Amino acid sequence: MLTTHIPGYPRIGARRELKFALEACWRGETGDANLLRTGSELRAAHWQRQREAGLSLVTAGDFSFYDPMLDTLALLGCPPARFGFDPQQLSLQQYFELARGNATQPALEMTKWFDTNYHYLVPELSPQSRFDGGPDWYFEHIAEALAARHPVKPALIGPVTFLHLAKADSGTDRLALLEPLARAYARILKRLRGMGIEWVQIDEPVLCLELGPAWLDAFDRAYPILAADAPALLLATYFDSAGEHAERILRLPVRGIHIDLVRAPEQLAAWQSRLPADRVLSAGIIDGRNIWRTDLRRALTLLQPLHDTLGDRLWLASSCSLQHVPVSLAGEQRLDPEVRPWLAFAEEKLDELHVLGRALDGGTAAVRAELEAADAALASRRAGRRIVNAEVRARLARLTAADERRASPHPQRKVLQQTQLRLPPLPTTTIGSFPQTAQIRSTRAAWKRGEIGELQYLEAMRAEIRNVIAQQEALGIDVLVHGEAERNDMVEFFGEQLWGFCFTQNGWVQSYGSRCVKPPVIYGDVARPEPMTTGIARYAQSLTRKPVKGMLTGPVTILQWSFVRDDQPRAETALQIALAVREEVADLEKAGIRVIQIDEPALREGLPLKRRDWNGYLDWAVRAFRIASAVAADATQIHTHMCYAEFNDILPAIAAMDADVITIETSRSNMELLDGFGEFRYPNDIGPGVYDIHSPRVPQTQDILHMMQRACSVVPPRQLWINPDCGLKTRSWAEVEPALRNMVTAARQLREGLVAEENTAIAT
């Protein structure tokens, strides 16, 4: 019988049960016991669903209360020494302090998991790092699954991926830690074997990067140590091709290899021609990153010859963990009825895997009804009347190079903008959102349920805007925002007003920790039927003489944080969105808005895993931003924002975007991310984040002064702005108000010093 499995399952719950249990625990409303019980219930339900779908193996060890990289750090027993925690006695609350920070220590850095919108926590290593083991949480989860009599396949992040994604003290060679790390993994695997485990999935997605020789050699060094007394190992790769390393990987003491045939179907030949007779090939044939129904007949056309050759040595799986898609379509009662049959969430993908397995084992006649249903859905999608918008396509065809350029270069624009805005040195601002209070969420929910009317809702949002503007003026912030009270999400809000999008009720996916997002579905050509933000922006600006930013989400971020149609190139969809944003920028200018922020936090996230593919992506991504922004007059100041990513590799592309001001997240790295901007001599203005908005810790004035003094040593002060790392929607006013007060105080002190230095320089 053919083996079916998945690399991982969504852990948040169909109704975000994990999110609500986590946040209740963090607020002190419930204790650890309630959170642990919720986790146990979710794991049991997820395992049972895999069995009910007919999967051969149930994946365990993929559940996390915050992040699997943090779990691996805890399992290995290597929390950073700066926290002072005993690794073997690590408590659940200390685990959360590593993720969220505490009164004395900032949290671990957070960045994107390869090219996804999932954020992982970055382990901190040093020559003194030890891997002597931590709490037994991981083994307890495996024992739970075994006790429920499931055929269990534990999943682990592999040692080379863990080490490659970690950061180390300056001058520390991470690879010097490889052997002790491998021995720690060997102990874990030996213990799993003692529990009766036959197969372990060990994830090494770094094999899909362009690794240097030393990192490739690390596999040859580590895996003989790992495999000495281990269960059979299934080495899992995903998100791109690992085919170029096939010969090296197949020399390792692993029993199987998992490959992503959705993102990189071309790699199949490399594995098929080299696979030894005693190895398993796990074919990731169901898309774990997107929500479109699988073309089952096309998949069978690919798989049948492979099955004829490999027989039971062929396993079927999703391309990667299903954590990147929502849990189930079952609760989607209001989803667009035309689009709904075209979709498959995690539960439906389990069923697709089972159908493919039955077809290969028993022939297509055994699954005739399922194949015909899939055929009908695909035919309906191809014939959909709302897919193509001829006017949008004609406008794209008319774009020229002139549409991508501002009228004047940045130095000339900066003079005009300063004349108009009259900002002080080191101006202060925030990234856009202010706390989304329970009252705001309740009002929006009542409006969506039809319990209050449009005018009542509008007045409630205007009251929130008045409060936010007054708060910022009282604090002394220089460039204000309206607070985004009316926005549910920075992508969903815009998608709801654009053609070509539809939305789910419960299509949540985890972004980090308890933070979940509900990506829109882009099913057709994108167009803007009418202005989206100008009324709110005009109202906010009418309340103050200070400039208020118009707040927009950029085309690449809307693309990256949506489930995107797969029937045309992503670049084309991005340009369609760019045209819609461009129209909004023009309307904001007409409404009197002189500072417009077009957020692109996902620009770096969208980079392909292979560096050789970067230029093609960056060309169209930068072009999309420039088309969206270049309609602005020289006197209009264009901002953009980026966060939680490694920017230094793409600084020329960021500069080519030609935003007047870029704000970036830098606090968790103590401004390390800014170093690259300084070395590159980034030409435009920069606002490095001075405090971590994902932590409840309120920064003191001295903390912010320290951060900005370091920034001033890297970038000329006249290019610098002062702002938080990111938007403030997830924080409370009790945290936001003192943090911003301290930020403004620090800015004033720095200005005094800057003016004094400049006067001294003039005098001498």
Side-chain angles (χ1 to χ4, degrees):
M1 291 289 290
L2 190 145
T3 297
T4 52
H5 72 109
I6 54 172
Y9 197 76
R11 48 188 176 261
I12 59 173
R15 301 283 179 176
R16 293 180 292 163
E17 294 91 335
L18 181 59
K19 169 188 175 67
F20 299 124
L22 278 168
E23 292 176 355
C25 181
W26 294 341
R27 290 191 300 265
E29 297 170 2
T30 59
D32 290 357
N34 179 73
L35 179 58
L36 293 171
R37 182 170 57 253
T38 299
S40 180
E41 291 169 352
L42 286 171
R43 291 190 296 273
H46 300 163
W47 296 329
Q48 186 60 34
R49 181 65 186 93
Q50 292 173 57
R51 292 304 307 280
E52 291 171 352
L55 268 61
S56 312
L57 296 172
V58 164
T59 302
D62 58 330
F63 179 85
S64 175
F65 281 116
Y66 203 100
D67 168 58
M69 281 289 280
L70 180 61
D71 293 352
T72 307
L73 179 152
L75 174 64
L76 293 167
C78 56
R82 63 186 174 87
F83 282 89
F85 297 155
D86 181 342
Q88 279 75 40
Q89 301 301 318
L90 189 74
S91 70
L92 191 59
Q93 293 307 310
Q94 290 173 331
Y95 167 91
F96 290 133
E97 287 178 28
L98 292 171
R100 305 176 73 228
N102 59 29
T104 61
Q105 292 296 327
L108 294 172
E109 283 186 47
M110 188 165 65
T111 194
K112 299 293 180 70
W113 181 250
F114 296 87
D115 62 346
T116 75
N117 186 30
Y118 177 74
H119 304 64
Y120 75 92
L121 290 161
V122 181
E124 297 175 12
L125 302 177
S126 74
Q128 289 72 46
S129 293
R130 299 179 62 85
F131 309 105
D132 296 331
D136 281 346
W137 303 332
Y138 178 83
F139 299 106
E140 291 166 1
H141 295 178
I142 306 304
E144 283 179 24
L146 290 169
R149 307 181 71 82
H150 294 306
V152 179
K153 178 205 63 178
L156 266 174
I157 293 173
V160 182
T161 291
F162 179 83
L163 201 58
H164 192 274
L165 298 183
K167 64 177 293 187
D169 294 346
S170 178
T172 298
D173 179 7
R174 284 168 291 166
L175 286 171
L177 300 170
L178 181 64
E179 274 73 17
L181 178 62
R183 289 193 293 271
Y185 270 85
R187 292 191 292 271
I188 293 165
L189 292 167
K190 181 178 181 179
R191 184 168 172 181
L192 290 173
R193 183 176 181 180
M195 296 173 71
I197 295 298
E198 296 182 4
W199 280 91
V200 174
Q201 170 189 311
I202 191 155
D203 289 6
E204 293 284 13
V206 293
L207 280 164
C208 295
L209 303 176
E210 292 174 337
L211 294 177
W215 284 101
L216 287 171
D217 290 345
F219 287 92
D220 299 330
R221 292 165 54 192
Y223 272 75
I225 300 173
L226 265 67
D229 196 8
L233 299 180
L234 177 71
L235 190 151
T237 67
Y238 39 80
F239 300 155
D240 209 317
S241 172
E244 61 203 83
H245 306 310
E247 288 189 8
R248 178 187 290 268
I249 293 169
L250 292 172
R251 290 197 302 266
L252 299 176
V254 298
R255 287 284 305 282
I257 178 74
H258 171 83
I259 60 174
D260 186 337
L261 291 180
V262 176
R263 282 292 189 92
E266 71 282 356
Q267 68 177 311
L268 180 57
W271 297 100
Q272 191 172 1
S273 63
R274 295 177 173 86
L275 195 72
D278 62 344
R279 304 294 173 89
V280 160
L281 182 66
S282 170
I285 196 67
I286 303 294
D287 194 345
R289 293 278 299 272
N290 213 333
I291 43 72
W292 302 105
R293 196 163 180 163
T294 303
D295 185 338
L296 295 177
R297 290 194 192 273
R298 183 178 178 184
L300 286 171
T301 299
L302 177 70
L303 293 170
Q304 188 64 62
L306 199 56
H307 186 247
D308 292 342
T309 301
L310 299 180
D312 291 347
R313 291 192 297 122
L314 174 66
W315 291 14
L316 297 188
S318 54
S319 60
C320 61
S321 171
L322 297 178
Q323 76 167 61
H324 306 289
V325 297
V327 175
S328 174
L329 275 168
E332 298 299 333
Q333 305 306 317
R334 297 197 297 270
L335 185 58
D336 187 314
E338 182 180 5
V339 176
R340 193 181 198 279
W342 307 344
L343 308 182
F345 292 175
E347 286 193 353
E348 292 75 31
K349 291 177 186 291
L350 299 183
D351 296 333
E352 289 182 328
L353 269 178
H354 186 52
V355 169
L356 290 174
R358 288 173 59 202
L360 291 173
D361 276 334
T364 56
V367 291
R368 179 178 292 112
E370 290 90 340
L371 291 177
E372 289 176 351
D375 292 342
L378 290 167
S380 166
R381 184 181 173 199
R382 285 192 290 267
R385 289 177 295 176
R386 294 182 293 162
I387 301 296
V388 175
N389 185 316
E391 181 181 348
V392 170
R393 297 193 174 201
R395 288 189 62 209
L396 277 181
R398 292 195 297 268
L399 286 173
T400 68
D403 295 315
E404 304 172 31
R405 294 192 298 268
R406 302 284 293 275
S408 304
H410 172 71
Q412 294 178 31
R413 300 197 306 264
K414 185 170 181 176
V415 172
L416 290 173
Q417 292 160 16
Q418 182 58 23
T419 299
Q420 176 173 265
L421 299 174
R422 299 187 178 280
L423 298 174
L426 299 166
T428 55
T429 190
T430 64
I431 303 306
S433 60
F434 270 83
Q436 286 264 324
T437 64
Q439 180 60 50
I440 291 173
R441 294 194 298 271
S442 173
T443 302
R444 184 163 55 241
W447 172 60
K448 289 197 170 185
R449 291 192 300 265
E451 296 170 4
I452 62 174
E454 183 79 29
L455 289 178
Q456 187 177 350
Y457 176 70
L458 177 60
E459 182 48 42
M461 294 302 101
R462 284 188 167 190
E464 294 291 343
I465 292 169
R466 290 194 295 272
N467 175 60
V468 166
I469 294 293
Q471 291 268 27
Q472 293 172 91
E473 287 202 313
L475 287 165
I477 293 174
D478 300 305
V479 176
L480 313 186
V481 297
H482 78 280
E484 303 181 10
E486 81 287 4
R487 303 187 186 185
N488 44 9
D489 174 82
M490 65 183 290
V491 172
E492 186 174 14
F493 171 79
F494 290 98
E496 287 175 338
Q497 302 179 78
L498 295 169
W499 289 347
F501 285 75
C502 69
F503 300 87
T504 64
Q505 291 170 261
N506 297 295
W508 299 99
V509 294
Q510 186 183 30
S511 179
Y512 61 87
S514 69
R515 169 75 167 145
C516 300
V517 294
K518 188 154 59 71
V521 177
I522 304 178
Y523 67 85
D525 289 345
V526 176
R528 188 196 76 143
E530 59 187 10
M532 301 179 286
T533 66
T534 54
I536 286 287
R538 185 187 292 112
Y539 177 73
Q541 186 62 76
S542 73
L543 301 173
T544 179
R545 293 184 177 181
K546 289 187 173 184
V548 177
K549 288 192 281 190
M551 298 300 304
L552 305 175
T553 302
V556 176
T557 297
I558 290 176
L559 181 88
Q560 286 291 127
W561 292 358
S562 299
F563 291 121
V564 184
R565 58 189 296 190
D566 58 357
D567 59 344
Q568 72 176 13
R570 291 172 69 86
E572 190 167 336
T573 305
L575 291 176
Q576 292 177 355
I577 301 169
L579 283 178
V581 177
R582 181 183 180 91
E583 292 172 343
E584 192 70 13
V585 170
D587 282 340
L588 283 168
E589 272 197 327
K590 292 174 186 175
I593 304 303
R594 291 295 171 255
V595 182
I596 301 173
Q597 182 168 309
I598 307 173
D599 288 337
E600 285 291 20
L603 184 86
R604 173 63 175 81
E605 168 192 315
L607 274 180
L609 269 62
K610 300 284 196 294
R611 189 179 289 266
R612 60 176 175 258
D613 299 326
W614 283 13
N615 287 343
Y617 161 76
L618 289 170
D619 284 348
W620 64 255
V622 170
R623 184 179 182 223
F625 181 87
R626 291 177 66 118
I627 286 170
S629 61
V631 69
D634 284 350
T636 298
Q637 192 173 72
I638 296 293
H639 290 225
T640 192
H641 173 67
M642 298 181 183
C643 56
Y644 303 103
E646 295 292 338
F647 307 115
N648 293 346
D649 290 335
I650 61 166
L651 284 172
I654 293 175
M657 293 166 67
D658 199 25
D660 297 300
V661 182
I662 181 173
T663 52
I664 59 173
E665 168 270 325
T666 56
S667 70
R668 288 197 178 198
S669 68
N670 192 31
M671 291 282 173
E672 286 179 13
L673 284 174
L674 191 62
D675 291 344
F677 284 82
E679 293 167 7
F680 177 72
R681 296 182 180 270
Y682 184 76
N684 299 5
D685 287 4
I686 312 172
V690 294
Y691 78 92
D692 179 13
I693 62 87
H694 295 297
S695 171
R697 178 173 177 263
V698 174
Q700 300 305 301
T701 300
Q702 196 58 42
D703 299 329
I704 296 170
L705 282 170
H706 169 75
M707 296 283 283
M708 286 306 301
Q709 285 163 351
R710 189 182 187 292
C712 289
S713 71
V714 174
V715 174
R718 289 289 179 177
Q719 284 181 249
L720 288 172
W721 287 58
I722 302 180
N723 45 262
D725 266 351
C726 200
L728 301 166
K729 67 182 293 184
T730 61
R731 301 265 57 91
S732 70
W733 276 107
E735 297 161 332
V736 165
E737 194 275 336
L740 293 182
R741 187 189 313 114
N742 293 343
M743 185 183 82
V744 171
T745 300
R748 287 172 177 161
Q749 292 181 21
L750 286 165
R751 283 174 199 152
E752 291 171 2
L754 177 62
V755 171
E757 287 179 11
E758 291 177 345
N759 288 340
T760 300
I762 292 170
T764 57

